[in-house]
Amino acid sequence: MSTKTLGPVRRKFQPWTDPTAKPLIEFRNVIKRFGDFTAVNDVSLGIYEREFFALLGPSGCGKTTLMRMVAGFDDPTTGDVLLAGQSVKGLPPYSRPVNMMFQSYALFPHMSVEKNIAFGLEMDRLPKGEIAARVEEMLKLVKLESFAKRKPHQLSGGQRQRVALARSLAKKPKVLLLDEPLGALDRKLREETQFELMDLQMTLGMTFLIVTHDQEEAMTVADRIAVMDHGKLIQVATPSEIYEQPISRYVADFIGDVNIIEGRVESAAPVVTIVSEAAGTRVEVNSDTAVNAGDTVYFAIRPEKIAISPDAPAETGINALSGTVFDIGYLGDVSVFHVRLDGGRTIRATVANRHRLIDRPISWDDRVWLTWGRDSGVVLTR
């Protein structure tokens, strides 16, 4: 992987780069089977104190099973789960310093907001004064002080989500587990709440582990993301690394939009030259990927990295494709162009709408050229 900065990181906190740092949560060669079905397949992973970590993948990939093993609802079939260096295998959920916020929120409908938040503290038989102080602290934290006496049915979806969050945090667990916590919110509220979660996590200095199938959500909130498929970890990295330097076609395709061009290596590093008969061009990429001449590889490039123009570039045989615009999606901030190449395949290019009016707009059925630089895409071998 290149040593250049691939994109912004949310903060300088990166304990996973320190070989002496010890994970707070550790999965060691964990396998979990349900009958003949293997839900988690030999997963080893470390999650560090104060990290906001995301398990990302499609339904059935094993991400929720991993979280349930941290919570204590499931135990590994083989392997071990450690918390603060101690095995928690066989330890019941109530004996673990973790708490879980469920997608459904699971609020008690007959209790007020403050009673919902206080419930776990009362079960632990804390003194009444301490419970009252903790509830007040949580209400201020989630900005619901004026809603303390209301019942859940008197709240909006976003407010119920905050109550569930406050209840999960009231016992001050070492780890907060978030199972699709924003799935019930509308898009705009979900986006706002993502940033609130990030701010809250940094304020509390707590470890958050979130399970989600929403790529944008994981990219927004997490310090690191584990992309999963069929019970296996495919890639664990920062959001910018996952997006800019995916290690496989699966990761490239799962995170955001991507164009993937298959070809044959003509020459290797430091500039990899790929001949693609299907696309009808040569692709030159600055890459240190270990490939040899004659290898079949895949060039992955994001739509926003591609320039689209009605004018032919100075050099048309390298990093350049021509075709016809057959579809345009206007999304307000960007326009997405679907360009059909002469060979029949489709390439997507995204253009930011920086100006309200365009002197020479590209329209349907226009002949256009697509071009990109050597640093715009990545070479994938699988």
Side-chain angles (χ1 to χ4, degrees):
M1 184 182 294
S2 171
T3 56
K4 294 180 180 178
T5 300
L6 297 174
V9 291
R10 189 157 67 87
R11 49 184 175 161
K12 294 181 179 179
F13 167 81
Q14 296 183 55
W16 53 89
T17 63
D18 179 0
T20 65
K22 302 295 183 184
L24 177 64
I25 303 168
E26 190 174 1
F27 298 92
R28 291 184 180 174
N29 304 109
V30 168
I31 296 174
K32 179 61 180 178
R33 297 189 184 95
F34 296 97
D36 294 332
F37 176 68
T38 301
V40 175
N41 192 351
D42 196 21
V43 166
S44 293
L45 174 67
I47 300 170
Y48 294 84
E49 190 171 6
R50 298 191 296 115
E51 185 175 6
F52 202 139
F53 194 93
L55 294 171
L56 174 66
S59 297
C61 72
K63 57 187 186 298
T64 299
T65 303
L66 275 181
M67 175 177 279
R68 287 175 60 85
M69 285 190 277
V70 177
F73 301 136
D74 288 316
D75 271 331
T77 305
T78 63
D80 205 357
V81 179
L82 286 76
L83 190 59
Q86 300 296 315
S87 174
V88 292
K89 194 171 181 178
L91 197 66
Y94 56 81
S95 298
R96 304 182 183 207
V98 304
N99 215 338
M100 191 165 185
M101 179 178 161
F102 297 94
Q103 182 179 5
S104 63
Y105 306 152
L107 299 177
F108 299 111
H110 62 288
M111 292 185 182
S112 66
V113 167
E114 60 183 1
K115 285 292 185 181
N116 264 283
I117 296 172
F119 181 79
L121 304 174
E122 291 173 348
M123 292 298 99
D124 287 347
R125 291 183 168 83
L126 266 64
K128 288 186 177 180
E130 186 175 341
I131 292 174
R134 189 81 59 82
V135 169
E136 184 179 359
E137 179 188 352
M138 292 299 106
L139 287 169
K140 287 180 180 177
L141 190 67
V142 297
K143 301 173 184 176
L144 287 177
E145 300 100 309
S146 59
F147 296 86
K149 303 298 182 183
R150 293 195 187 184
K151 301 286 180 64
H153 73 273
Q154 297 173 308
L155 305 175
S156 68
Q159 289 165 342
R160 287 196 292 272
Q161 187 263 351
R162 290 175 186 221
V163 176
L165 183 59
R167 185 179 63 183
S168 300
L169 293 170
K171 295 177 69 171
K172 296 186 176 179
K174 284 187 176 180
V175 181
L176 179 64
L177 307 175
L178 301 150
D179 183 15
E180 303 277 5
L182 311 182
L185 305 181
D186 63 70
R187 181 179 176 85
K188 190 168 184 179
L189 183 56
R190 188 164 65 244
E191 290 174 352
E192 292 173 358
T193 307
Q194 288 167 6
F195 285 95
E196 290 178 0
L197 269 180
M198 290 162 55
D199 294 341
L200 187 62
Q201 188 264 340
M202 284 191 283
T203 299
L204 294 171
M206 190 181 293
T207 305
F208 279 21
L209 174 58
I210 186 171
V211 160
T212 181
H213 64 272
D214 186 323
Q215 300 95 325
E216 186 176 311
E217 183 171 289
M219 295 281 286
T220 300
V221 303
D223 293 307
R224 284 191 303 158
I225 299 170
V227 180
M228 297 189 67
D229 186 39
H230 291 92
K232 286 184 171 291
L233 292 180
I234 307 301
Q235 184 172 2
V236 180
T238 64
S240 57
E241 289 169 340
I242 291 279
Y243 188 82
E244 301 288 359
Q245 198 74 41
I247 64 169
S248 69
R249 286 179 291 162
Y250 173 80
V251 176
D253 191 48
F254 189 77
I255 303 292
D257 291 330
V258 70
N259 299 291
I260 297 179
I261 298 171
E262 183 176 345
R264 177 179 49 80
V265 175
E266 188 175 68
S267 60
V271 178
V272 176
T273 302
I274 303 165
V275 178
S276 175
E277 294 179 3
T281 191
R282 269 183 167 78
V283 178
E284 291 187 351
V285 194
N286 290 335
S287 174
D288 55 6
T289 302
V291 294
N292 299 305
D295 289 352
T296 296
V297 295
Y298 307 90
F299 173 66
I301 184 167
R302 303 291 182 183
E304 71 273 12
K305 314 289 189 186
I306 298 175
I308 181 170
S309 172
D311 303 318
E315 189 173 12
T316 59
I318 298 175
N319 292 357
L321 298 168
S322 64
T324 302
V325 177
F326 80 92
D327 217 347
I328 303 173
Y330 178 78
L331 305 181
D333 55 342
V334 299
S335 291
V336 181
F337 294 87
H338 289 219
V339 178
R340 182 174 287 128
L341 307 182
D342 296 335
R345 71 160 297 167
T346 300
I347 298 291
R348 286 171 295 181
T350 303
V351 178
N353 295 321
R354 295 186 178 89
H355 306 287
R356 191 169 61 87
L357 299 175
I358 302 172
D359 291 335
R360 190 183 175 188
I362 294 171
S363 191
W364 282 264
D365 299 324
D366 284 355
R367 289 289 297 180
V368 294
W369 281 90
L370 305 172
T371 58
W372 58 90
R374 284 181 174 176
D375 287 321
S376 299
V378 294
V379 178
L380 304 174
T381 58
R382 59 189 175 98

